[in-house]
Amino acid sequence: MQGQYNHGAAYYRCRFPQEYALANEVEHPHNVYLREDALTDPLDEWLASAFTPDHLDQTITAMCDAQPTDTTPQTAAARAAIAACDAKLAQYRAALDAGADPALVTGWITQTQTERTRAEADLQTTQRQSHAG
């Protein structure tokens, strides 16, 4: 998701198909827009309830349970590579917004998306191997 203003209101836009879904053959609408206030108000309410004293232990347990348990060097390396690619892609978007040459930045984006796809495949492979073993 990336932030974008439309008609004076803040929105989140999902461009999943252009960046990931097509490469992984996942069906997804071309673009999805979500008004920020449609997300933040319910999220704020949930956070306020999830971290009350009577829910805190359950929330902490759920957060811990959601963390990956396979911490092999290969898994950590793949996750680090994905995070690095995501950071690069964010920088490239910012460069485009700042007026960088689109042809040059497009090449960087293509290369980084290829690296990210490779790292995702490595992560899936290592996770399958760790679950099988």
Side-chain angles (χ1 to χ4, degrees):
M1 303 290 287
Q2 67 186 129
Q4 179 172 337
Y5 278 86
N6 242 351
H7 306 290
Y11 282 80
Y12 291 103
R13 177 174 67 163
C14 176
R15 299 187 57 193
F16 183 78
Q18 291 181 339
E19 297 176 3
Y20 311 109
L22 292 176
N24 295 303
E25 299 179 8
V26 175
E27 284 192 41
H28 191 280
H30 183 66
N31 278 312
V32 176
Y33 288 89
L34 174 65
R35 270 187 73 117
E36 183 179 54
D37 59 3
L39 175 66
T40 55
D41 293 344
L43 181 59
D44 288 345
E45 289 177 25
W46 175 80
L47 286 170
S49 69
F51 289 95
T52 59
D54 57 324
H55 290 110
L56 191 56
D57 287 341
Q58 178 183 0
T59 300
I60 291 171
T61 299
M63 291 171 67
C64 289
D65 290 346
Q67 296 301 308
T69 57
D70 53 342
T71 55
T72 65
Q74 296 87 351
T75 301
R79 284 199 177 100
I82 291 168
C85 288
D86 288 344
K88 286 180 183 179
L89 289 168
Q91 290 173 337
Y92 301 156
R93 285 187 193 104
L96 283 171
D97 290 343
D101 178 13
L104 178 62
V105 177
T106 299
W108 298 342
I109 290 171
T110 301
Q111 179 182 0
T112 302
Q113 286 176 327
T114 300
E115 291 172 19
R116 191 182 194 290
T117 300
R118 189 178 315 117
E120 286 177 330
D122 291 346
L123 179 61
Q124 290 176 359
T125 299
T126 58
Q127 286 177 332
R128 276 195 299 270
Q129 289 171 348
S130 68
H131 292 302

